[in-house]
Amino acid sequence: MSIVINQLVNGLQSGSIYALVALGYSMVYGIILLLNFAHGDIIMVGAYAAWMCMVNFQCHPIVSMIIAIVTSMVLGVVIEKVAYTPLRSAPRLSLLITAIGISFLLENGFQLIFGAGAKTVPSMITGSDIVLGGVHLSFPAVVTIVVSLIAMGVLTFLVQKTRLGKAMRAVSEDMGAAQLMGISLNKTISFTFAMGSALAGIASVLY
């Protein structure tokens, strides 16, 4: 029974990370119908940011996590402003090709800078196993699940209860009508990219 519970927790740990990645990806697609191929590379950048902070600058793991998340958010907004905004009225294929190009740029750029070798990342989440009824649960797995649930809860609140969240839902339903109602399209899309990239940053440090 202990093995079954441990494997269930391990599965929830992996599933939580994949859920964060999928949420960030689907948020962008739901707003502007863009398959953002660079989303996975934003996760890579967040992981590199955390690695550099911990290995090169000896930062505390929590500080490294925050920097990784902020880096991912800023990168997502910059990509949206520089690469996607000028092509918003262009054919859908142009946006798709641009997304693939940004993905290749980030992948090959970071490979040139850091090389293709594997990097050893110090453990960000450390702690003793949690014992419940004689079952030993991995502390990093439990933390990953809890943090993922908190991130999903915060995202739900932002989308359902805040003004920008309501604007996001309006734009996803009908972009033209949302603009006629006074909703700032640029601000809403940038907010969406920021939130999606933040989820990518969280996934990068939990992986």
Side-chain angles (χ1 to χ4, degrees):
M1 188 63 182
S2 175
I3 295 176
V4 173
I5 295 175
N6 279 319
Q7 292 303 316
L8 177 62
V9 171
N10 290 335
L12 289 173
Q13 178 187 18
S14 298
S16 298
I17 296 172
Y18 295 145
L20 291 176
V21 175
L23 278 172
Y25 195 91
S26 61
M27 282 176 66
V28 173
Y29 182 80
I31 294 292
I32 58 174
L33 301 179
L34 168 67
L35 294 173
N36 186 18
F37 286 99
H39 190 73
D41 301 291
I42 293 174
I43 298 173
M44 173 199 70
V45 173
Y48 266 115
W51 173 75
M52 287 189 65
C53 288
M54 293 190 70
V55 174
N56 293 354
F57 302 107
Q58 307 299 318
C59 294
H60 190 275
I62 294 178
V63 175
S64 301
M65 291 179 185
I66 294 172
I67 292 175
I69 295 169
V70 172
T71 301
S72 299
M73 287 180 65
V74 172
L75 178 62
V77 174
V78 169
I79 290 174
E80 189 271 328
K81 291 294 185 186
V82 173
Y84 299 148
T85 299
L87 298 174
R88 193 170 294 159
S89 58
R92 190 65 55 189
L93 184 60
S94 299
L95 274 171
L96 187 63
I97 294 172
T98 302
I100 296 173
I102 292 294
S103 176
F104 284 158
L105 175 66
L106 291 174
E107 289 176 12
N108 291 285
F110 273 73
Q111 185 173 331
L112 284 172
I113 295 171
F114 296 103
K119 302 293 187 292
T120 301
V121 181
S123 179
M124 288 188 152
I125 304 173
T126 58
S128 304
D129 288 351
I130 299 173
V131 181
L132 292 175
V135 178
H136 291 260
L137 303 177
S138 170
F139 182 77
V142 173
V143 170
T144 298
I145 295 170
V146 171
V147 171
S148 299
L149 289 174
I150 292 173
M152 294 174 195
V154 171
L155 177 64
T156 301
F157 174 80
L158 288 174
V159 172
Q160 297 292 335
K161 302 297 183 181
T162 65
R163 188 179 183 85
L164 276 172
K166 293 176 182 178
M168 286 171 55
R169 287 184 284 144
V171 171
S172 66
E173 287 288 336
D174 192 322
M175 188 177 294
Q179 285 182 286
L180 291 174
M181 295 300 293
I183 293 175
S184 173
L185 197 60
N186 290 330
K187 187 176 180 180
T188 303
I189 293 177
S190 295
F191 178 74
T192 303
F193 268 86
M195 291 300 98
S197 300
L199 293 175
I202 295 172
S204 71
V205 298
L206 291 179
Y207 188 71

